Amino acid sequence: MDKQQPELNKQKSDRLNNLKQIEELKLDPFGQRFDGGQPIREALDAYQPKDESAPDKEGVPATVAGRIMTIRKHGKTAFLDIKDWTGKIQIYIKKNKVGEELFKLYELLDIGDIIGVTGELFKTRTGEVTIFAKQFTLLTKALAPLPEKWHGLQDVEMRYRKRYLDLISNDEAMKTFLTRTKILQRTREFFHKKGYVEVETPMMQPIPGGATARPFITHHNTLDMDLYLRIAPELYLKRLLVGGMEKVFEINRNFRNEGISTHHNPEFTMIEFYEAYADYHTMMDLTEELITSLAKELLPDLKIKYGEMELDLNSPWPRKSYMELFKKYSGLDWSEQEAVIKKAEELKIETKNKAYESIANDIFEKLVEPNLTGPVFVIDYPRAISPLTKSKKDNPDIVERFELFMAKMEIANAFTELNDPLEQRKRLEQQLKNRAEGSVSLDEDFLSALEHGMPPAGGEGIGIDRLVMILTNNPSIREVILFPTLRKLPKKTEKADLCKLKYKEK
RNA sequence: GCGCCCUUAGCUCAGCCUGGUAGAGCAGCUGAUUCUUAAUCAGCUGGCCGUAUGUUCAAAUCCUACAGGGCGUACCA
């Protein structure tokens, strides 16, 4: 039972046919360098007179390049909408303006093709700024059709798998990702202005540290050793503090081999920054200043709508203690161990083989966090769940740590860094003891770095993806990561059938 | 990991409850059209109804399994 290979999609074969005819006209269907183009936004702006009494700038020359989104044919004339990443402009093509030869090429154009156009700006009868084409050139023939012009690409899975189609056909997606790069750029500028330097530390680490997530393992053949994709850069950045780099930041990916959800992607972007001679109060001020300045550019009044929630980012942001919040929402004092454990069992929280602090923290996550619309700094955490943090002077069981919550999500986590090597060893050993077998060994080199003296410092990590979610009002982390982690498709994936076809002919 | 939901033309979606020859819009093709804009008008093409198994005279529709995806939940100091 040999099933016939399905025929090439009709639309694709039609386009292939157009391509052949273009080649017969001695034109290159995949184009050449195109000089002198301007962003479409700029062309549109060039037409609009600044003050309204000024006359329209009829006839201003314009040259743009972009993808054809729609074609409205009228016999010997046509209107095309072409789009680049700054905007969309209408092109008017008239047979007796561009000449017989070019008009032949126009007739072979398809939606999705990329063209370059030179002409003059004018306003149509209906008031749309348009380029009256004198000249145009095909820069790339598109052999596969675009998604539907009005609804765009809706299929969520395909939007993630074929992000290029999402970017072409959904303006909102493009906008989100351009905003994301803006946020990254502004963040870098912010830290540079504060005298920080950007550094890069290993993504592949022999001992994964700085957090407790399960790591991804890989293997180096020549060295014949296992390496772990980092779960955090923390321990390396602290080594730099020891080395005398006083203000450092790193923006890069972390990898955690845990579940996937609307708030979790296995690889995610984090900025971590460390400042010598500072503490967690310094970090709070810095964070508030940074996020406020990022938000101001997008939402000048600093009032953010995120889904159903409304966040007011105007300073000052409240700072509330962990213990206080615990009491407020659980109705129990953190020190009432028996009552707390009972409550945990009621809430179906796993309590076996778990440290008390970790059980209590589960309650915190379940009962308190859903109330933290924020922005709010939760400060002063229990020591046992914060092994890298310095204790408060007046209470060794509480540490100088805060987490920033926005829209019920943990956005940032920061400490006054623990710089006592003896205390640090104790804490890490304790942590290892509490963990299941098969956990990783102690990072002795990190401890010896501390023995050489790390200045008192404040340090922090901010989850960039989640911050972008909030600032662009996206409900899923997959909407702000260009290529989110997805399952591999089963054997029967869609083939790039045209490529095969072309290859066969040659 | 568990629960609920989704998968039909290149794209956006109906049809499924109540089994009986697979529908629309966009896109595409042919023709008309020298200021249209979700252009319009006339005609046409295009489906392994996610995959596999059942039940049935008959399955897009009902059952089961699997795959991919979404949401929720769990895990993730």
Side-chain angles (χ1 to χ4, degrees), chain A residues 14 72-73 90 94 124-126 128 148-149 157 212 361 478 487:
Chain A
D14 287 338
R72 293 179 290 280
K73 299 193 171 190
Q90 180 169 258
K94 204 171 181 177
T124 62
R125 213 155 51 189
T126 47
E128 180 162 353
E148 215 246 9
K149 68 175 172 187
E157 180 178 1
T212 51
N361 194 52
R478 271 165 251 141
R487 227 176 276 262

Short mmCIF file of all heavy atoms in Angstrom, two decimals, chain A residues 14 72-73 90 94 124-126 128 148-149 157 212 361 478 487, chain B residues 11-12 27-28 33-39 68-71 76-77:
data_model
loop_
_atom_site.label_atom_id
_atom_site.label_comp_id
_atom_site.label_asym_id
_atom_site.label_seq_id
_atom_site.Cartn_x
_atom_site.Cartn_y
_atom_site.Cartn_z
N ASP A 14 1.43 27.60 -7.49
CA ASP A 14 1.16 28.83 -8.23
C ASP A 14 2.29 29.84 -8.07
O ASP A 14 2.70 30.50 -9.02
CB ASP A 14 -0.15 29.47 -7.74
CG ASP A 14 -1.37 28.69 -8.20
OD1 ASP A 14 -1.24 27.96 -9.20
OD2 ASP A 14 -2.43 28.81 -7.56
N ARG A 72 -4.64 45.18 -3.66
CA ARG A 72 -5.99 45.46 -4.17
C ARG A 72 -5.85 45.85 -5.64
O ARG A 72 -5.34 46.92 -5.96
CB ARG A 72 -6.64 46.58 -3.36
CG ARG A 72 -6.94 46.19 -1.92
CD ARG A 72 -7.54 47.31 -1.12
NE ARG A 72 -6.59 48.38 -0.85
CZ ARG A 72 -5.67 48.33 0.12
NH1 ARG A 72 -5.60 47.27 0.91
NH2 ARG A 72 -4.83 49.32 0.29
N LYS A 73 -6.25 44.94 -6.50
CA LYS A 73 -6.03 45.13 -7.93
C LYS A 73 -7.20 45.86 -8.58
O LYS A 73 -8.34 45.57 -8.27
CB LYS A 73 -5.82 43.78 -8.61
CG LYS A 73 -4.61 43.04 -8.08
CD LYS A 73 -4.23 41.85 -8.97
CE LYS A 73 -2.89 41.29 -8.50
NZ LYS A 73 -2.33 40.31 -9.42
N GLN A 90 0.95 52.47 2.20
CA GLN A 90 0.28 52.04 0.98
C GLN A 90 1.10 52.46 -0.24
O GLN A 90 1.66 53.55 -0.28
CB GLN A 90 -1.11 52.66 0.92
CG GLN A 90 -1.89 52.26 -0.31
CD GLN A 90 -3.36 52.66 -0.22
OE1 GLN A 90 -4.23 51.86 0.05
NE2 GLN A 90 -3.63 53.94 -0.46
N LYS A 94 0.57 52.35 -10.93
CA LYS A 94 -0.25 52.71 -12.08
C LYS A 94 0.52 52.31 -13.33
O LYS A 94 1.71 52.62 -13.46
CB LYS A 94 -0.47 54.22 -12.06
CG LYS A 94 -1.69 54.69 -12.77
CD LYS A 94 -1.90 56.17 -12.47
CE LYS A 94 -3.14 56.70 -13.14
NZ LYS A 94 -3.37 58.11 -12.78
N THR A 124 -4.22 60.06 -0.78
CA THR A 124 -5.31 59.60 -1.64
C THR A 124 -6.59 60.37 -1.31
O THR A 124 -6.65 61.09 -0.31
CB THR A 124 -5.60 58.11 -1.43
OG1 THR A 124 -6.01 57.93 -0.08
CG2 THR A 124 -4.39 57.26 -1.74
N ARG A 125 -7.59 60.14 -2.14
CA ARG A 125 -8.87 60.79 -1.94
C ARG A 125 -9.42 60.50 -0.53
O ARG A 125 -10.06 61.32 0.09
CB ARG A 125 -9.85 60.25 -2.97
CG ARG A 125 -10.86 61.25 -3.43
CD ARG A 125 -11.38 60.93 -4.80
NE ARG A 125 -11.85 59.57 -4.94
CZ ARG A 125 -12.18 59.03 -6.12
NH1 ARG A 125 -12.07 59.72 -7.23
NH2 ARG A 125 -12.59 57.79 -6.19
N THR A 126 -9.14 59.29 -0.05
CA THR A 126 -9.66 58.93 1.26
C THR A 126 -8.70 59.33 2.38
O THR A 126 -8.92 58.98 3.54
CB THR A 126 -9.92 57.42 1.33
OG1 THR A 126 -8.78 56.74 0.80
CG2 THR A 126 -11.15 57.04 0.56
N GLU A 128 -5.28 58.71 2.84
CA GLU A 128 -4.16 57.90 3.31
C GLU A 128 -2.86 58.28 2.61
O GLU A 128 -2.80 58.39 1.37
CB GLU A 128 -4.43 56.41 3.07
CG GLU A 128 -3.27 55.55 3.55
CD GLU A 128 -3.63 54.10 3.76
OE1 GLU A 128 -4.82 53.76 3.66
OE2 GLU A 128 -2.70 53.31 4.02
N GLU A 148 -3.85 34.32 7.58
CA GLU A 148 -4.98 35.16 7.22
C GLU A 148 -4.74 36.62 7.56
O GLU A 148 -4.26 36.96 8.64
CB GLU A 148 -6.22 34.67 7.97
CG GLU A 148 -7.48 34.80 7.19
CD GLU A 148 -8.43 35.79 7.82
OE1 GLU A 148 -8.02 36.50 8.76
OE2 GLU A 148 -9.56 35.86 7.36
N LYS A 149 -5.13 37.53 6.62
CA LYS A 149 -4.72 38.93 6.78
C LYS A 149 -5.45 39.65 7.91
O LYS A 149 -4.91 40.56 8.50
CB LYS A 149 -4.95 39.68 5.47
CG LYS A 149 -6.41 39.85 5.09
CD LYS A 149 -6.52 40.73 3.85
CE LYS A 149 -7.96 40.73 3.35
NZ LYS A 149 -8.10 41.42 2.06
N GLU A 157 0.03 27.26 19.36
CA GLU A 157 1.19 26.39 19.17
C GLU A 157 2.01 26.86 17.97
O GLU A 157 3.24 26.94 18.03
CB GLU A 157 0.72 24.95 18.95
CG GLU A 157 1.88 24.01 18.74
CD GLU A 157 1.43 22.57 18.58
OE1 GLU A 157 0.22 22.33 18.62
OE2 GLU A 157 2.31 21.72 18.41
N THR A 212 18.61 26.19 44.31
CA THR A 212 18.50 24.75 44.57
C THR A 212 17.75 23.98 43.50
O THR A 212 17.40 22.84 43.70
CB THR A 212 17.81 24.48 45.91
OG1 THR A 212 16.59 25.22 45.92
CG2 THR A 212 18.70 24.86 47.04
N ASN A 361 7.25 28.07 54.83
CA ASN A 361 7.37 28.87 53.62
C ASN A 361 6.37 28.42 52.56
O ASN A 361 5.87 29.23 51.79
CB ASN A 361 8.80 28.79 53.07
CG ASN A 361 9.05 29.84 52.01
OD1 ASN A 361 8.81 31.04 52.24
ND2 ASN A 361 9.49 29.42 50.84
N ARG A 478 5.59 32.52 27.80
CA ARG A 478 5.88 32.12 26.43
C ARG A 478 5.60 33.25 25.43
O ARG A 478 6.07 33.20 24.29
CB ARG A 478 5.04 30.90 26.06
CG ARG A 478 5.74 29.60 26.39
CD ARG A 478 4.79 28.43 26.36
NE ARG A 478 4.60 27.99 27.73
CZ ARG A 478 3.46 27.58 28.24
NH1 ARG A 478 2.38 27.55 27.52
NH2 ARG A 478 3.39 27.23 29.49
N ARG A 487 7.84 20.76 23.25
CA ARG A 487 8.13 19.37 22.94
C ARG A 487 8.55 19.23 21.49
O ARG A 487 8.13 19.99 20.63
CB ARG A 487 6.85 18.56 23.15
CG ARG A 487 7.02 17.30 23.93
CD ARG A 487 5.65 16.68 24.10
NE ARG A 487 4.96 17.26 25.25
CZ ARG A 487 4.93 16.67 26.45
NH1 ARG A 487 5.55 15.53 26.63
NH2 ARG A 487 4.28 17.22 27.44
P C B 11 -2.78 26.07 7.97
OP1 C B 11 -1.82 25.77 9.04
OP2 C B 11 -3.92 25.17 7.73
"O5'" C B 11 -3.34 27.54 8.20
"C5'" C B 11 -2.47 28.58 8.63
"C4'" C B 11 -3.21 29.89 8.66
"O4'" C B 11 -3.76 30.15 7.35
"C3'" C B 11 -4.43 29.93 9.58
"O3'" C B 11 -4.07 30.22 10.92
"C2'" C B 11 -5.27 31.03 8.96
"O2'" C B 11 -4.75 32.30 9.29
"C1'" C B 11 -5.02 30.79 7.46
N1 C B 11 -6.05 29.93 6.83
C2 C B 11 -7.32 30.46 6.61
O2 C B 11 -7.56 31.61 6.97
N3 C B 11 -8.25 29.70 6.01
C4 C B 11 -7.96 28.45 5.63
N4 C B 11 -8.92 27.73 5.04
C5 C B 11 -6.67 27.88 5.86
C6 C B 11 -5.75 28.65 6.46
P U B 12 -5.01 29.75 12.12
OP1 U B 12 -4.34 30.19 13.35
OP2 U B 12 -5.34 28.34 11.91
"O5'" U B 12 -6.34 30.61 11.92
"C5'" U B 12 -6.35 31.99 12.23
"C4'" U B 12 -7.76 32.53 12.12
"O4'" U B 12 -8.21 32.44 10.74
"C3'" U B 12 -8.80 31.74 12.89
"O3'" U B 12 -8.80 32.10 14.26
"C2'" U B 12 -10.09 32.12 12.16
"O2'" U B 12 -10.52 33.41 12.54
"C1'" U B 12 -9.60 32.18 10.71
N1 U B 12 -9.83 30.92 9.98
C2 U B 12 -11.07 30.73 9.40
O2 U B 12 -11.97 31.55 9.49
N3 U B 12 -11.23 29.56 8.72
C4 U B 12 -10.28 28.56 8.56
O4 U B 12 -10.56 27.55 7.92
C5 U B 12 -9.01 28.82 9.20
C6 U B 12 -8.84 29.97 9.86
P A B 27 -8.68 38.01 0.21
OP1 A B 27 -8.04 39.30 -0.04
OP2 A B 27 -9.81 37.57 -0.65
"O5'" A B 27 -7.59 36.85 0.18
"C5'" A B 27 -6.33 37.05 0.79
"C4'" A B 27 -5.51 35.78 0.70
"O4'" A B 27 -6.18 34.71 1.41
"C3'" A B 27 -5.32 35.23 -0.71
"O3'" A B 27 -4.29 35.88 -1.41
"C2'" A B 27 -5.00 33.77 -0.41
"O2'" A B 27 -3.68 33.62 0.05
"C1'" A B 27 -5.98 33.49 0.73
N9 A B 27 -7.26 33.02 0.20
C8 A B 27 -8.43 33.73 0.08
N7 A B 27 -9.41 33.05 -0.46
C5 A B 27 -8.85 31.81 -0.73
C6 A B 27 -9.36 30.64 -1.31
N6 A B 27 -10.62 30.52 -1.73
N1 A B 27 -8.54 29.58 -1.44
C2 A B 27 -7.28 29.70 -1.00
N3 A B 27 -6.66 30.74 -0.44
C4 A B 27 -7.52 31.78 -0.33
P G B 28 -4.41 36.14 -2.95
OP1 G B 28 -3.15 36.77 -3.41
OP2 G B 28 -5.71 36.79 -3.20
"O5'" G B 28 -4.49 34.66 -3.53
"C5'" G B 28 -3.35 33.81 -3.50
"C4'" G B 28 -3.65 32.51 -4.18
"O4'" G B 28 -4.71 31.83 -3.47
"C3'" G B 28 -4.19 32.62 -5.60
"O3'" G B 28 -3.14 32.81 -6.53
"C2'" G B 28 -4.91 31.29 -5.77
"O2'" G B 28 -3.98 30.25 -6.00
"C1'" G B 28 -5.52 31.11 -4.38
N9 G B 28 -6.88 31.62 -4.30
C8 G B 28 -7.31 32.70 -3.55
N7 G B 28 -8.60 32.92 -3.65
C5 G B 28 -9.04 31.95 -4.53
C6 G B 28 -10.35 31.69 -5.03
O6 G B 28 -11.40 32.29 -4.78
N1 G B 28 -10.36 30.61 -5.90
C2 G B 28 -9.26 29.86 -6.26
N2 G B 28 -9.48 28.87 -7.11
N3 G B 28 -8.04 30.08 -5.79
C4 G B 28 -8.00 31.14 -4.94
P U B 33 -11.56 45.84 -18.03
OP1 U B 33 -11.73 46.76 -19.17
OP2 U B 33 -10.36 44.98 -17.94
"O5'" U B 33 -11.66 46.68 -16.69
"C5'" U B 33 -12.75 47.58 -16.49
"C4'" U B 33 -12.75 48.07 -15.06
"O4'" U B 33 -12.92 46.95 -14.17
"C3'" U B 33 -11.44 48.69 -14.59
"O3'" U B 33 -11.30 50.04 -15.02
"C2'" U B 33 -11.58 48.58 -13.08
"O2'" U B 33 -12.47 49.56 -12.58
"C1'" U B 33 -12.25 47.20 -12.95
N1 U B 33 -11.24 46.13 -12.72
C2 U B 33 -11.00 45.76 -11.41
O2 U B 33 -11.56 46.27 -10.46
N3 U B 33 -10.04 44.79 -11.25
C4 U B 33 -9.32 44.17 -12.25
O4 U B 33 -8.49 43.30 -11.94
C5 U B 33 -9.64 44.59 -13.58
C6 U B 33 -10.57 45.54 -13.77
P U B 34 -9.92 50.52 -15.63
OP1 U B 34 -10.14 51.21 -16.90
OP2 U B 34 -8.98 49.35 -15.54
"O5'" U B 34 -9.45 51.60 -14.56
"C5'" U B 34 -9.15 51.23 -13.22
"C4'" U B 34 -8.27 52.29 -12.61
"O4'" U B 34 -7.04 52.36 -13.38
"C3'" U B 34 -8.88 53.68 -12.63
"O3'" U B 34 -8.53 54.33 -11.42
"C2'" U B 34 -8.19 54.36 -13.81
"O2'" U B 34 -8.07 55.76 -13.67
"C1'" U B 34 -6.80 53.72 -13.73
N1 U B 34 -6.05 53.73 -14.99
C2 U B 34 -4.91 54.51 -15.01
O2 U B 34 -4.54 55.16 -14.05
N3 U B 34 -4.24 54.52 -16.21
C4 U B 34 -4.58 53.82 -17.34
O4 U B 34 -3.86 53.91 -18.33
C5 U B 34 -5.78 53.03 -17.23
C6 U B 34 -6.46 53.02 -16.08
P C B 35 -9.70 54.96 -10.49
OP1 C B 35 -10.72 53.90 -10.31
OP2 C B 35 -10.09 56.27 -11.03
"O5'" C B 35 -8.96 55.19 -9.12
"C5'" C B 35 -8.69 54.10 -8.26
"C4'" C B 35 -8.75 54.55 -6.82
"O4'" C B 35 -7.60 55.39 -6.53
"C3'" C B 35 -9.99 55.39 -6.48
"O3'" C B 35 -10.38 55.07 -5.17
"C2'" C B 35 -9.47 56.82 -6.49
"O2'" C B 35 -10.17 57.71 -5.67
"C1'" C B 35 -8.05 56.60 -5.94
N1 C B 35 -7.08 57.63 -6.28
C2 C B 35 -6.64 58.49 -5.25
O2 C B 35 -7.08 58.33 -4.12
N3 C B 35 -5.74 59.44 -5.52
C4 C B 35 -5.29 59.58 -6.76
N4 C B 35 -4.39 60.54 -7.00
C5 C B 35 -5.73 58.74 -7.84
C6 C B 35 -6.62 57.79 -7.55
P U B 36 -11.91 54.96 -4.70
OP1 U B 36 -12.72 54.86 -5.92
OP2 U B 36 -12.16 56.04 -3.71
"O5'" U B 36 -11.95 53.59 -3.90
"C5'" U B 36 -12.10 52.37 -4.59
"C4'" U B 36 -11.13 51.36 -4.05
"O4'" U B 36 -9.77 51.77 -4.32
"C3'" U B 36 -11.14 51.20 -2.53
"O3'" U B 36 -12.23 50.42 -2.09
"C2'" U B 36 -9.79 50.52 -2.29
"O2'" U B 36 -9.86 49.17 -2.64
"C1'" U B 36 -8.91 51.25 -3.32
N1 U B 36 -8.16 52.35 -2.71
C2 U B 36 -7.03 52.00 -1.98
O2 U B 36 -6.69 50.85 -1.83
N3 U B 36 -6.33 53.04 -1.44
C4 U B 36 -6.63 54.37 -1.55
O4 U B 36 -5.90 55.20 -1.01
C5 U B 36 -7.81 54.66 -2.32
C6 U B 36 -8.52 53.66 -2.86
P U B 37 -12.87 50.72 -0.64
OP1 U B 37 -14.00 49.80 -0.49
OP2 U B 37 -13.07 52.19 -0.48
"O5'" U B 37 -11.73 50.30 0.39
"C5'" U B 37 -11.36 48.92 0.52
"C4'" U B 37 -10.14 48.82 1.36
"O4'" U B 37 -9.07 49.61 0.80
"C3'" U B 37 -10.28 49.36 2.78
"O3'" U B 37 -10.88 48.39 3.59
"C2'" U B 37 -8.83 49.64 3.16
"O2'" U B 37 -8.17 48.47 3.55
"C1'" U B 37 -8.23 50.10 1.82
N1 U B 37 -8.14 51.56 1.72
C2 U B 37 -7.02 52.16 2.25
O2 U B 37 -6.14 51.54 2.79
N3 U B 37 -6.98 53.53 2.12
C4 U B 37 -7.93 54.32 1.53
O4 U B 37 -7.75 55.53 1.48
C5 U B 37 -9.06 53.61 1.00
C6 U B 37 -9.13 52.29 1.11
P A B 38 -11.31 48.63 5.06
OP1 A B 38 -12.77 48.77 5.08
OP2 A B 38 -10.47 49.70 5.63
"O5'" A B 38 -10.95 47.24 5.77
"C5'" A B 38 -9.64 46.72 5.75
"C4'" A B 38 -9.61 45.29 5.23
"O4'" A B 38 -10.20 44.41 6.20
"C3'" A B 38 -10.37 45.08 3.94
"O3'" A B 38 -9.73 44.05 3.18
"C2'" A B 38 -11.71 44.51 4.40
"O2'" A B 38 -12.34 43.71 3.45
"C1'" A B 38 -11.25 43.67 5.58
N9 A B 38 -12.29 43.45 6.59
C8 A B 38 -13.26 44.29 7.01
N7 A B 38 -14.02 43.77 7.93
C5 A B 38 -13.52 42.50 8.10
C6 A B 38 -13.90 41.45 8.95
N6 A B 38 -14.90 41.52 9.79
N1 A B 38 -13.19 40.30 8.87
C2 A B 38 -12.17 40.24 8.02
N3 A B 38 -11.71 41.17 7.18
C4 A B 38 -12.45 42.28 7.29
P A B 39 -8.87 44.51 1.91
OP1 A B 39 -8.55 43.29 1.17
OP2 A B 39 -7.84 45.42 2.38
"O5'" A B 39 -9.89 45.40 1.05
"C5'" A B 39 -10.71 44.80 0.10
"C4'" A B 39 -11.70 45.81 -0.37
"O4'" A B 39 -11.08 46.71 -1.32
"C3'" A B 39 -12.87 45.24 -1.15
"O3'" A B 39 -13.87 44.69 -0.29
"C2'" A B 39 -13.35 46.46 -1.92
"O2'" A B 39 -14.05 47.34 -1.08
"C1'" A B 39 -12.01 47.10 -2.29
N9 A B 39 -11.54 46.61 -3.60
C8 A B 39 -10.50 45.75 -3.86
N7 A B 39 -10.32 45.51 -5.13
C5 A B 39 -11.30 46.26 -5.75
C6 A B 39 -11.65 46.45 -7.10
N6 A B 39 -11.01 45.87 -8.10
N1 A B 39 -12.69 47.27 -7.37
C2 A B 39 -13.33 47.86 -6.34
N3 A B 39 -13.10 47.75 -5.04
C4 A B 39 -12.06 46.95 -4.81
P G B 68 3.99 14.49 22.72
OP1 G B 68 5.46 14.62 22.77
OP2 G B 68 3.21 14.20 23.95
"O5'" G B 68 3.39 15.82 22.07
"C5'" G B 68 3.99 16.37 20.91
"C4'" G B 68 3.11 17.44 20.34
"O4'" G B 68 1.83 16.87 19.93
"C3'" G B 68 2.69 18.53 21.31
"O3'" G B 68 3.71 19.48 21.54
"C2'" G B 68 1.48 19.12 20.60
"O2'" G B 68 1.87 19.89 19.49
"C1'" G B 68 0.81 17.83 20.11
N9 G B 68 -0.14 17.34 21.12
C8 G B 68 0.05 16.37 22.06
N7 G B 68 -0.99 16.19 22.83
C5 G B 68 -1.93 17.11 22.37
C6 G B 68 -3.25 17.39 22.81
O6 G B 68 -3.87 16.86 23.73
N1 G B 68 -3.83 18.40 22.06
C2 G B 68 -3.23 19.05 21.02
N2 G B 68 -3.95 20.01 20.42
N3 G B 68 -2.00 18.81 20.59
C4 G B 68 -1.42 17.83 21.31
P G B 69 3.80 20.20 22.99
OP1 G B 69 5.02 21.01 22.97
OP2 G B 69 3.59 19.20 24.06
"O5'" G B 69 2.53 21.16 22.96
"C5'" G B 69 2.47 22.24 22.05
"C4'" G B 69 1.11 22.86 22.05
"O4'" G B 69 0.11 21.85 21.75
"C3'" G B 69 0.64 23.44 23.37
"O3'" G B 69 1.24 24.68 23.65
"C2'" G B 69 -0.86 23.53 23.12
"O2'" G B 69 -1.16 24.60 22.24
"C1'" G B 69 -1.11 22.21 22.39
N9 G B 69 -1.50 21.15 23.33
C8 G B 69 -0.75 20.09 23.77
N7 G B 69 -1.40 19.35 24.63
C5 G B 69 -2.64 19.95 24.77
C6 G B 69 -3.77 19.61 25.55
O6 G B 69 -3.91 18.66 26.33
N1 G B 69 -4.81 20.52 25.39
C2 G B 69 -4.78 21.61 24.56
N2 G B 69 -5.88 22.37 24.53
N3 G B 69 -3.73 21.94 23.81
C4 G B 69 -2.72 21.08 23.97
P G B 70 1.37 25.20 25.16
OP1 G B 70 2.21 26.41 25.12
OP2 G B 70 1.73 24.08 26.02
"O5'" G B 70 -0.13 25.62 25.51
"C5'" G B 70 -0.74 26.74 24.87
"C4'" G B 70 -2.15 26.89 25.34
"O4'" G B 70 -2.90 25.69 25.02
"C3'" G B 70 -2.32 27.03 26.84
"O3'" G B 70 -2.07 28.34 27.29
"C2'" G B 70 -3.77 26.60 27.03
"O2'" G B 70 -4.66 27.61 26.61
"C1'" G B 70 -3.85 25.44 26.04
N9 G B 70 -3.53 24.14 26.67
C8 G B 70 -2.38 23.42 26.56
N7 G B 70 -2.40 22.30 27.23
C5 G B 70 -3.66 22.28 27.82
C6 G B 70 -4.26 21.32 28.65
O6 G B 70 -3.80 20.25 29.06
N1 G B 70 -5.55 21.71 29.04
C2 G B 70 -6.17 22.87 28.65
N2 G B 70 -7.39 23.08 29.12
N3 G B 70 -5.61 23.78 27.86
C4 G B 70 -4.37 23.42 27.48
P C B 71 -1.35 28.59 28.69
OP1 C B 71 -0.93 30.01 28.71
OP2 C B 71 -0.34 27.54 28.92
"O5'" C B 71 -2.52 28.38 29.73
"C5'" C B 71 -3.69 29.18 29.69
"C4'" C B 71 -4.78 28.55 30.53
"O4'" C B 71 -5.12 27.26 29.95
"C3'" C B 71 -4.41 28.22 31.96
"O3'" C B 71 -4.47 29.34 32.82
"C2'" C B 71 -5.46 27.18 32.30
"O2'" C B 71 -6.72 27.77 32.54
"C1'" C B 71 -5.52 26.37 31.00
N1 C B 71 -4.60 25.22 31.03
C2 C B 71 -5.01 24.06 31.70
O2 C B 71 -6.14 24.03 32.21
N3 C B 71 -4.19 22.99 31.74
C4 C B 71 -2.99 23.05 31.17
N4 C B 71 -2.21 21.97 31.25
C5 C B 71 -2.53 24.23 30.50
C6 C B 71 -3.36 25.28 30.46
P C B 76 9.24 21.73 45.79
OP1 C B 76 10.23 21.10 46.69
OP2 C B 76 8.13 22.53 46.33
"O5'" C B 76 10.02 22.64 44.75
"C5'" C B 76 11.19 22.17 44.09
"C4'" C B 76 11.61 23.16 43.05
"O4'" C B 76 10.54 23.35 42.11
"C3'" C B 76 11.90 24.56 43.57
"O3'" C B 76 13.21 24.64 44.10
"C2'" C B 76 11.71 25.40 42.31
"O2'" C B 76 12.83 25.33 41.46
"C1'" C B 76 10.55 24.68 41.64
N1 C B 76 9.25 25.32 41.95
C2 C B 76 8.84 26.41 41.18
O2 C B 76 9.58 26.82 40.27
N3 C B 76 7.65 27.01 41.46
C4 C B 76 6.89 26.54 42.45
N4 C B 76 5.74 27.15 42.68
C5 C B 76 7.29 25.42 43.24
C6 C B 76 8.46 24.85 42.96
P A B 77 13.80 25.89 44.88
OP1 A B 77 13.17 27.07 44.23
OP2 A B 77 15.23 25.79 44.90
"O5'" A B 77 13.28 25.78 46.38
"C5'" A B 77 12.10 26.42 46.81
"C4'" A B 77 12.30 26.89 48.22
"O4'" A B 77 13.63 26.63 48.70
"C3'" A B 77 12.06 28.39 48.39
"O3'" A B 77 11.36 28.60 49.63
"C2'" A B 77 13.47 28.91 48.53
"O2'" A B 77 13.54 30.09 49.23
"C1'" A B 77 14.12 27.79 49.32
N9 A B 77 15.57 27.78 49.32
C8 A B 77 16.36 27.31 50.34
N7 A B 77 17.65 27.41 50.13
C5 A B 77 17.71 27.98 48.89
C6 A B 77 18.81 28.34 48.09
N6 A B 77 20.08 28.18 48.45
N1 A B 77 18.57 28.90 46.89
C2 A B 77 17.28 29.06 46.52
N3 A B 77 16.18 28.73 47.17
C4 A B 77 16.46 28.20 48.37
#
